[in-house]
Amino acid sequence: MPNSTREQLATFEAKWVPRLNAPLRAAVGVDTTEERLMDAMTYSLLAGGKRLRPLLTMATLTTVGGVYEEQRDWRPIMALELLHTYSLIHDDLPAMDNDPLRRGEPTNHVKFGAGMATLAGDGLLTLAFQWLTATNLPGETQAALVQALARAAGPGGMVAGQARDIQFEHVDLPMGELRTLHREKTGALLHYAVQAGLILGRLPGKDWTPYLDFADAFGLAYQIYDDILDVVASPEELGKATHKDAGEAKNTYPGKLGLAGANQALIDTIAAGQAALAKVTAQDTRLLAAFFSYFDTKRVTKS
């Protein structure tokens, strides 16, 4: 990606990440009555994530000409970050991936114990849906957001993908089924991130398709790149253990296609997402396209 593209995204992040982060701890505290539980919830929530998902929502809202009002929109936008953090806490649990590190720090269950970590995830999950309706947005907008997030996060989305991930360890999945797994496990919440921006921006549904095609391409690219980094990056760089996928016999793009093949799949997926955005003629989609600069397609040749 050209430097100007990265700079555009960096400028957007510099503006919005501090603004989205600033109220988080206090807002969770208002809605949490037990101190140790709040500590466990905010421990993972404030552990330094990129805020990629709410940033995607903000970028989509900006692209379609929507107006952000903090008192009205902040909780509905950040609800997705609560839900994403719950998924990470539960994914790290001993019964799941049993990871000791997340973002370079001890995982929630290592810090607070498996029981409290489970409850912290439960608290963030349910609070996410409370935040979608703790607002003066129109009732139909609230309902649309709740329904869309429930579908993305539930047994037809992320949870289904996690179930496939567990069920098909040590099973060689065909590429089509691997794409389904990735679309549900990783892509569903990124799809929702863009969809939420379309809902909040009140873009007519007939105009959604290229944006959601972009979201699905971005979600797949994100997972392919994560698979690649598990092979080529260091634990210090990622803040978590690497080379786990092969050790656990998980289905990954490098495992099925080799590193070069996975990198080409990443390049092709990015191109598909860019082509989707090119179909949008009424708005300037360069900010959304800039999100592809997260992926270094030269990384494999550098390793």
Side-chain angles (χ1 to χ4, degrees):
M1 291 284 177
N3 287 337
S4 60
T5 302
R6 292 196 182 96
E7 289 166 4
Q8 181 182 20
L9 184 58
T11 300
F12 185 76
E13 290 172 326
K15 175 182 178 180
W16 284 106
V17 171
R19 190 169 173 181
L20 294 171
N21 277 338
L24 259 179
R25 183 176 179 85
V28 172
V30 166
D31 294 316
T32 309
T33 61
E34 207 288 318
E35 185 174 356
R36 183 69 171 169
L37 176 62
M38 190 193 82
D39 288 344
M41 291 166 66
T42 54
Y43 174 77
S44 294
L45 188 61
L46 302 177
K50 296 186 291 291
R51 306 301 184 219
L52 171 62
R53 289 152 189 83
L55 283 173
L56 263 175
T57 301
M58 279 302 314
T60 305
L61 178 63
T62 300
T63 296
V64 302
V67 177
Y68 174 78
E69 294 181 17
E70 188 160 5
Q71 292 301 314
R72 181 193 66 189
D73 299 327
W74 180 81
R75 275 182 171 82
I77 288 173
M78 289 305 288
L80 178 54
E81 195 67 11
L82 301 186
L83 196 142
H84 171 60
T85 303
Y86 126 75
S87 75
L88 299 181
I89 293 173
H90 281 199
D91 197 40
D92 290 337
L93 284 168
M96 299 286 282
D97 287 350
N98 196 24
D99 278 321
L101 289 176
R102 171 72 67 176
R103 296 167 179 161
E105 299 293 335
T107 46
N108 201 289
H109 71 270
V110 172
K111 178 82 171 177
F112 293 94
M116 187 59 74
T118 302
L119 293 171
D122 293 344
L124 290 166
L125 167 61
T126 49
L127 186 58
F129 287 96
Q130 180 180 325
W131 278 16
L132 289 179
T133 56
T135 173
N136 62 359
L137 285 167
E140 62 270 21
T141 301
Q142 296 181 36
L145 290 169
V146 168
Q147 185 178 61
L149 184 55
R151 286 178 174 172
M158 181 185 69
V159 173
Q162 292 283 22
R164 291 179 197 274
D165 198 36
I166 292 172
Q167 182 179 358
F168 294 122
E169 286 181 9
H170 305 282
V171 175
D172 185 17
L173 284 180
M175 283 300 299
E177 293 187 34
L178 179 58
R179 282 192 291 271
T180 298
L181 188 159
H182 284 343
R183 183 176 66 247
E184 293 172 340
K185 179 183 175 183
T186 302
L189 290 192
L190 292 166
H191 179 103
Y192 170 80
V194 172
Q195 186 178 6
L198 300 174
I199 292 170
L200 290 168
R202 301 192 179 191
L203 189 73
K206 65 182 179 61
D207 298 327
W208 284 17
T209 298
Y211 290 100
L212 296 181
D213 287 346
F214 152 74
D216 292 338
F218 183 84
L220 179 56
Y222 188 93
Q223 184 59 59
I224 295 171
Y225 194 58
D226 190 65
D227 288 352
I228 290 171
L229 290 181
D230 185 69
V231 178
V232 304
S234 67
E236 293 75 21
E237 181 183 359
L238 293 188
K240 62 181 181 178
T242 56
H243 303 285
K244 288 198 67 182
D245 292 337
E248 296 171 356
K250 290 195 173 184
N251 287 275
T252 68
Y253 270 71
K256 298 188 76 65
L257 302 177
L259 274 176
N263 198 58
Q264 186 58 53
L266 174 62
I267 292 168
D268 293 344
T269 302
I270 291 171
Q274 292 169 330
L277 290 177
K279 295 177 182 177
V280 177
T281 58
Q283 289 92 22
D284 182 349
T285 60
R286 284 178 293 180
L287 176 59
L288 289 173
F291 278 78
F292 285 121
S293 67
Y294 279 123
F295 312 128
D296 181 2
T297 58
K298 306 291 187 186
R299 184 63 191 265
V300 170
T301 57
K302 292 175 184 174
S303 303

